[in-house]
Amino acid sequence: MATRARHEARWTAEDAVVKGRVARNRFWVILVLFGLIAVVSTWAFTRQLNFQDLQVQLQVCQEPLAQDATSADVEAAGCTPADVTDERVRLWHQSSPRDPVSAEGPTWQFEDVPIDTVANAVQVDLPEPARSVVLFDHDEGSVRTALTPDAADTRWTGTVGTRGPTSYWLLVTPSQAG
């Protein structure tokens, strides 16, 4: 009888013992898992941030608007769409600027903007100083944010906020209005 290790049962047959090397080449499994994780992460990121096209329409108002302005206040201020000629709008996501892909009539068009994030901001460069600039959510009928000016009142910036719509009005009151 052949000698056996202590942990082997006495009834184990000699030909029942596995002999040889166990295949440990599982590198492809690791690559597939990492690829799957990358695909799921990318899908979740784009779904969570809700990438969509965004429109910003420029309107010039006769009276300045405050942070608590409503649709009735916008009508009373005499806001009307104006062509985007010398004005420049830029969206910021975290620290990355994004220029519009098109500017036709009173509207700037931005593509693939993460809508559902708090890390968006808007910057407006105006050719002339302004008294007030607000970003208005016309679907909700309320001001999204009142922008803050620079010293010359020509560059206005402000955060957009969370989970916004895909269309805003940028309401500008020139300094000589009112």
Side-chain angles (χ1 to χ4, degrees):
M1 186 168 146
T3 59
R4 299 197 167 148
R6 282 185 177 179
H7 65 278
E8 286 186 286
R10 290 190 182 270
W11 51 266
T12 305
E14 188 66 34
D15 57 345
V17 177
V18 176
K19 296 178 180 153
R21 234 177 55 142
V22 177
R24 301 238 184 242
N25 189 6
R26 302 283 189 241
F27 186 69
W28 66 272
V29 173
I30 294 172
L31 286 177
V32 168
L33 286 176
F34 276 120
L36 184 62
I37 289 170
V39 167
V40 168
S41 297
T42 303
W43 175 80
F45 176 77
T46 57
R47 183 160 172 93
Q48 182 69 25
L49 293 182
N50 191 13
F51 285 84
Q52 293 187 27
D53 293 347
L54 177 72
Q55 290 183 346
V56 178
Q57 183 184 76
L58 175 67
Q59 293 196 15
V60 176
C61 302
Q62 302 305 314
E63 296 294 325
L65 296 163
Q67 177 71 36
D68 59 350
T70 63
S71 295
D73 297 329
V74 171
E75 284 183 35
C79 299
T80 57
D83 284 340
V84 291
T85 52
D86 297 330
E87 298 83 0
R88 192 175 106 194
V89 168
R90 178 177 278 175
L91 287 180
W92 292 81
H93 177 68
Q94 295 176 342
S95 62
S96 302
R98 181 180 296 222
D99 291 319
V101 292
S102 69
E104 293 180 18
T107 305
W108 290 284
Q109 180 78 27
F110 296 88
E111 289 182 347
D112 297 327
V113 176
I115 300 296
D116 294 343
T117 179
V118 297
N120 286 337
V122 64
Q123 172 186 324
V124 181
D125 293 324
L126 302 171
E128 300 292 326
R131 286 177 63 189
S132 71
V133 177
V134 296
L135 193 64
F136 189 77
D137 180 353
H138 57 88
D139 291 336
E140 291 290 322
S142 62
V143 172
R144 189 71 168 180
T145 187
L147 279 62
T148 307
D150 64 354
D153 291 336
T154 57
R155 177 173 281 179
W156 294 73
T157 57
T159 59
V160 175
T162 62
R163 299 191 190 266
T166 57
S167 179
Y168 290 107
W169 289 347
L170 187 66
L171 306 176
V172 177
T173 305
S175 61
Q176 63 269 30

